Structure formats: structure tokens, C-alpha cells
Amino acid sequence: MSLRSPIGRVLGLGSAGDGVGHWWTLRVTSVALVLLGLWFVFALVRMPDTSYETVTAWIAMPVNAVLLSLLIGTMLYHSMLGVQEVIEDYVAGHGAKIATKILLQFIHFLLGALGIFSVLRIAFGSAA
């Protein structure tokens, strides 16, 4: 028998308090990805051809560049949240969990920066 109250026994156990926010963020990014994904598919279907010149001209249009950048950023953020959830559920060691999360966040941010930089480079017409 413990002299601690029931609330005292459970303090520090269970949810860290950010589970609902994480859940909502995943749902909101999912909806954004559906809308941006539909835009992207319809835009590709409407293209007359997929030659380099046609695609770069399409990306260079301001609305397309902004929406494509949003698609890349949202997709990678959603992926990062999903991978974070998998790591938290299936990586056993505390140190390994933290190292894996940091590494994968770095990779996601690097991929996002490279993708958005590539779109902006095409949109602003910078030659290689």
C-alpha cells in the first residue's frame, strides 16, 4: 500500500501533452497534401508534353512555383511527423531514439531546402 495519492502515482507517466497537437498537425497536412496533390496531378495532365522546356516554363510561372514549393514543404513536413511517430513507437533505446530523430529531421530539412531551392532557381531563371 502506498501513501501517495492516485494523481501522485500517475504524474510523469503517459502523454507528454503534445499528442493532440501532433495528431491535428498530421490531419491538417494530410488535407493540404490532398489538395496540393490534386492540383499537381491535374496540372501535369494538362501539360501538352513533358519536355524540359515545357516543364521549366511551367515551374517558372509564379503561381505554379509557389504551389510547388508548398507541396514540397508540406510533403516533407508531413513525412517528418510520420517518421517521428514511427521512431517514438519502435526505437527502444533513449539515446538511439534521440539520435535517429535528429538525423531524420536534418535529412527532411535538407531535402526540403534542396527542393524549394530548385523550384526557386527555375522560377527566377538562374542558369547553371
Side-chain angles (χ1 to χ4, degrees), residues 68-84:
L68 192 55
S69 295
L70 285 173
L71 177 64
I72 292 168
T74 305
M75 184 174 10
L76 285 166
Y77 185 59
H78 182 81
S79 170
M80 186 176 70
L81 291 174
V83 169
Q84 177 183 342

Side-chain angles (χ1 to χ4, degrees), residues 50-111:
T50 55
S51 67
Y52 177 80
E53 293 78 19
T54 304
V55 174
T56 54
W58 177 80
I59 293 173
M61 288 189 251
V63 171
N64 293 336
V66 168
L67 290 175
L68 192 55
S69 295
L70 285 173
L71 177 64
I72 292 168
T74 305
M75 184 174 10
L76 285 166
Y77 185 59
H78 182 81
S79 170
M80 186 176 70
L81 291 174
V83 169
Q84 177 183 342
E85 195 168 306
V86 170
I87 291 169
E88 289 171 354
D89 288 346
Y90 295 108
V91 175
H94 184 68
K97 187 180 295 191
I98 290 174
T100 306
K101 284 172 62 174
I102 289 172
L103 176 67
L104 288 172
Q105 283 186 354
F106 176 75
I107 290 170
H108 278 91
F109 282 118
L110 179 66
L111 290 173

Side-chain angles (χ1 to χ4, degrees), residues 22-34:
H22 187 87
W23 185 87
W24 269 109
T25 305
L26 277 170
R27 286 355 176 236
V28 170
T29 56
S30 296
V31 171
L33 283 174
V34 167

